[in-house]
Amino acid sequence: MTKKESDGVLHQMTCMVLTASLPLPGGLKEPAGMIAGDRPDNQWLQYNSSSLPRTQQDWEGCTFVEKTHWGYYSWPQKLMMYSPSEEQPKQGLTREEMTEREQIIYDHFSDPVFINQLIEFLSLEDRKGKDKFSPRRFCLFKGLFRNFNDAFLPVLKPHMERLVADTHESKQRCVAEITSGLIRGSKHWSFGKVESLWELLCPLLRTALNNITVETYADWGTCIATACESRDPRKLHWLFEMLMESLVNGEGGSFVDACRLYVLQGGLAQQEWRVPELLHRLLQYLEPKLTQVYKNVRERIGSVLTYIFMIDVNLPYTQPTASPRIKEFTERVLLRLKPLMEGDEEIQNHVVEENVEGEQDERTQAIKLLKTVLKWLMASAGRSFSTAVPEQLKGGGLSLIPLHSPLFLYDELKRDAKTCLSLMSQGLLYTEQIPLVLLALQEIAGSSSWHARYTVLTYLQIMVFYNLFTFLSDQGAVNDVRALVIRLLEDEQLEVREMAATTLSGFLQCNFLSIEGPMQSHFEALCKTRLPKKRKRELGSVVDTIPSGGSY
């Protein structure tokens, strides 16, 4: 390739001029020092439905910033923006204005026969059950629409409409790859062309979501997530508003409802902190549906909640978020969980039945709400940037998980609660949070339910080992842990005493606790206490489980 040809291709690929050191809009100034989060100087970057660029004038007057990380922590020393359209190189070149190499590409992709053969090839099934969304094919279409503008859209449009109406896996995947490439490739199109593009894509995407299947939902999720990556959300407002329409409406069944949420989740996750308005709207829409009848929809809602609250972090030098906050949401949820906190009556069989429509009493709704909350907490454990300890332990107990409830005798809730507590206990604790956690555990240790007292010990084991050095730096916390374990060693329930012995054994072996004078004296006093024969045998079985090595 000659230098002239290389420069021509580069011109079409970049197609934009950058302006350096642009001052912040409205004369805003960056705050002194590092302050992350939502601030007055980065608020103009956030999605606001009242000021979206819906006209040519607004579009040209809007300063778009495509990179998600710009402005959240700080601004670059040289903030690079795209210059106005009138200062940009010409887009949508005619064939005569293209280089020879570009003309070859243009001729082939303008040929209906070639496009027909290409689409037939790309929509073939290669390996049944193993084919996935292809990043290479996405890059192909992204490059075509970026370099040649909308020149190929007329010849591709009929194929896209035909493919999206076909529910076969390979056809849907092919149109998903084209769609994501088209959205990303249209980054520098003029307002008129972008507006026309979304007039085509919105009905097409609605059809795709209605025809979504088990085999294709992951491809459409990848399509939308890929299309929204490193894109200013204000440029994609047609897409987000369309995805927010009638998410859980029952049309197409619970599977389609769950898939709509999944696809929207993929797009919003890419935007992170820049769409607080959409997150608030989504949370307001989903809250009444937390008790949804269908299990798969509730589980998906739980996953979506993770991304709604993702930016609500408690980190140093971080401003309070404009996105939804866990604290406020938790307070509302706890009010709805009250029926599970009160009373110990037996749970009727209909409570644990799934996917049963019709009227639900208050207690049944609370059970379904609890299941959704557990899914949210489990999903959040591996994805959140920080642990929401104060919210999880609000009111001095693990109040989002009512461990004393007889509901946890049922296998599903018991399994989910156990998994959830295990994940919660692995969270990073700050020094100031340790007393709050220990207070919650001490209160649960006084519960009338021995299952709850047993669970305290399993939680305590994991929490201490995952935050070992933080605990060791606070002798008061170590003393509180020791007192709690010794208290439960004397529990009236054998299972609790055995777990307390196992917990003490682990703490002794890792040298978190040691047999010192006061503890030895306490055990000696217990040994001299006369008990009924049955009680004595039980206590002896527990003491036998404590490893030797201490001064007994």
Side-chain angles (χ1 to χ4, degrees):
M1 182 185 294
T2 65
K3 184 178 186 301
K4 181 178 179 181
E5 291 172 329
S6 175
D7 290 344
V9 173
L10 182 61
H11 162 79
Q12 279 298 101
M13 291 181 67
T14 56
C15 197
M16 285 285 132
V17 176
L18 294 172
T19 301
S21 303
L22 188 73
L24 297 178
L28 295 169
K29 294 183 179 180
E30 182 178 6
M34 177 68 77
I35 301 178
D38 298 311
R39 308 182 306 272
D41 62 297
N42 63 20
Q43 190 174 3
W44 61 278
L45 276 177
Q46 296 181 348
Y47 188 99
N48 187 341
S49 59
S50 63
S51 59
L52 293 174
R54 292 189 172 93
T55 65
Q56 177 80 30
Q57 183 180 359
D58 291 341
W59 184 271
E60 293 181 352
C62 188
T63 303
F64 296 110
V65 177
E66 307 288 356
K67 299 300 180 183
T68 310
H69 59 281
W70 280 1
Y72 185 75
Y73 292 96
S74 62
W75 296 99
Q77 292 182 353
K78 290 186 177 181
L79 180 59
M80 307 295 285
M81 303 288 190
Y82 290 102
S83 296
S85 57
E86 62 269 14
E87 299 178 22
Q88 299 295 344
K90 181 182 178 182
Q91 299 185 58
L93 300 179
T94 64
R95 187 182 185 283
E96 290 71 25
E97 294 172 318
M98 299 177 186
T99 65
E100 181 181 354
R101 290 175 180 267
E102 293 168 341
Q103 288 177 352
I104 295 173
I105 298 174
Y106 179 85
D107 291 341
H108 278 79
F109 283 90
S110 299
D111 182 2
V113 176
F114 174 79
I115 289 295
N116 184 61
Q117 292 174 337
L118 176 67
I119 296 300
E120 286 299 319
F121 170 72
L122 295 180
S123 60
L124 286 175
E125 184 177 64
D126 184 16
R127 297 176 301 167
K128 185 172 180 60
K130 296 184 178 180
D131 291 341
K132 295 181 180 180
F133 183 96
S134 171
R136 291 186 178 182
R137 294 178 181 180
F138 152 74
C139 289
L140 165 67
F141 288 103
K142 173 187 173 183
L144 288 173
F145 290 111
R146 175 194 59 197
N147 292 6
F148 294 90
N149 220 257
D150 62 346
F152 308 133
L153 194 54
V155 72
L156 277 170
K157 177 182 174 182
H159 292 284
M160 294 176 67
E161 293 174 338
R162 174 178 57 83
L163 291 172
V164 81
D166 192 327
T167 57
H168 285 87
E169 178 182 354
S170 56
K171 312 293 184 183
Q172 291 282 315
R173 183 176 299 112
C174 177
V175 71
E177 292 162 352
I178 298 173
T179 301
S180 59
L182 180 52
I183 296 173
R184 284 283 290 277
S186 64
K187 178 179 177 180
H188 298 305
W189 289 12
S190 65
F191 173 76
K193 292 184 176 181
V194 171
E195 191 173 37
S196 298
L197 170 64
W198 286 109
E199 289 177 0
L200 162 67
L201 286 183
C202 284
L204 186 142
L205 287 170
R206 289 190 186 98
T207 302
L209 293 176
N210 289 333
N211 291 338
I212 205 163
T213 65
V214 175
E215 293 81 14
T216 62
Y217 82 92
D219 295 324
W220 281 109
T222 304
C223 165
I224 298 302
T226 304
C228 296
E229 182 187 2
S230 295
R231 293 297 310 274
D232 192 308
R234 296 167 295 173
K235 269 190 176 180
L236 300 176
H237 66 84
W238 294 275
L239 174 63
F240 287 118
E241 294 297 333
M242 185 276 298
L243 291 176
M244 292 284 288
E245 296 171 356
S246 303
L247 286 164
V248 184
N249 57 19
E251 295 181 7
S254 63
F255 175 76
V256 173
D257 286 345
C259 289
R260 287 196 189 98
L261 288 170
Y262 174 75
V263 171
L264 174 62
Q265 175 182 332
L268 293 179
Q270 297 297 324
Q271 295 301 323
E272 298 177 352
W273 63 282
R274 295 193 295 183
V275 288
E277 178 191 318
L278 291 178
L279 296 179
H280 277 288
R281 284 164 53 186
L282 181 57
L283 180 61
Q284 185 179 11
Y285 177 83
L286 291 179
E287 269 200 59
K289 296 175 171 53
L290 295 177
T291 57
Q292 238 280 333
V293 170
Y294 296 101
K295 179 180 177 181
N296 56 344
V297 178
R298 290 199 308 270
E299 291 183 351
R300 178 51 54 190
I301 290 175
S303 181
V304 171
L305 288 174
T306 300
Y307 289 93
I308 289 177
F309 297 113
M310 180 78 73
I311 305 301
D312 186 15
V313 294
N314 180 23
L315 297 173
Y317 309 107
T318 302
Q319 290 279 89
T321 177
S323 299
R325 301 185 184 181
I326 297 175
K327 179 181 179 181
E328 298 165 2
F329 174 71
T330 301
E331 290 174 350
R332 296 192 296 270
V333 167
L334 287 174
L335 290 175
R336 298 171 64 182
L337 285 177
K338 269 191 173 181
L340 302 186
M341 311 290 186
E342 302 167 351
D344 296 322
E345 64 267 22
E346 290 296 325
I347 310 301
Q348 301 300 319
N349 289 334
H350 75 275
V351 164
V352 295
E353 293 179 1
E354 290 290 348
N355 304 337
V356 179
E357 298 187 15
E359 291 294 326
Q360 300 178 6
D361 59 34
E362 189 180 49
R363 195 168 178 79
T364 302
Q365 289 188 359
I367 294 169
K368 294 187 182 300
L369 173 61
L370 177 59
K371 292 178 180 180
T372 306
V373 168
L374 289 175
K375 295 299 181 184
W376 164 49
L377 292 174
M378 286 188 284
S380 299
R383 300 174 189 168
S384 297
F385 299 127
S386 64
T387 306
V389 173
E391 289 76 20
Q392 292 174 350
L393 306 178
K394 181 176 175 58
L398 294 169
S399 45
L400 282 177
I401 308 178
L403 296 173
H404 62 277
S405 173
L407 286 168
F408 288 101
L409 297 176
Y410 290 98
D411 289 339
E412 181 191 354
L413 278 171
K414 183 178 180 180
R415 181 181 65 251
D416 286 352
K418 184 177 180 180
T419 302
C420 186
L421 285 169
S422 176
L423 292 171
M424 287 171 60
S425 63
Q426 296 173 31
L428 173 67
L429 295 177
Y430 296 112
T431 304
E432 63 272 15
Q433 294 173 336
I434 289 178
L436 177 64
V437 179
L438 291 177
L439 177 62
L441 295 177
Q442 288 165 0
E443 290 193 9
I444 298 173
S447 169
S448 59
S449 167
W450 72 265
H451 293 283
R453 302 196 300 273
Y454 182 96
T455 303
V456 165
L457 292 162
T458 59
Y459 189 96
L460 188 65
Q461 291 174 17
I462 303 172
M463 179 186 69
V464 168
F465 289 132
Y466 271 82
N467 296 275
L468 184 63
F469 298 106
T470 307
F471 271 91
L472 288 175
S473 66
D474 185 350
Q475 187 58 43
V478 175
N479 294 337
D480 289 342
V481 171
R482 180 193 293 113
L484 182 57
V485 174
I486 292 177
R487 169 185 170 184
L488 293 173
L489 269 174
E490 304 172 27
D491 195 89
E492 62 181 14
Q493 189 72 26
L494 175 61
E495 289 84 353
V496 177
R497 297 198 301 273
E498 289 179 340
M499 179 54 70
T502 302
T503 303
L504 179 59
S505 170
F507 288 164
L508 291 174
Q509 290 182 22
C510 72
N511 207 30
F512 175 73
L513 297 177
S514 58
I515 301 294
E516 299 171 347
M519 185 184 291
Q520 182 174 346
S521 300
H522 179 74
F523 286 140
E524 289 175 350
L526 288 178
C527 290
K528 296 176 182 178
T529 303
R530 297 183 64 84
L531 296 174
K533 291 184 178 180
K534 181 179 180 182
R535 175 70 168 156
K536 189 182 298 183
R537 285 197 302 271
E538 291 176 352
L539 183 61
S541 67
V542 172
V543 172
D544 289 341
T545 63
I546 302 177
S548 59
S551 302
Y552 286 98

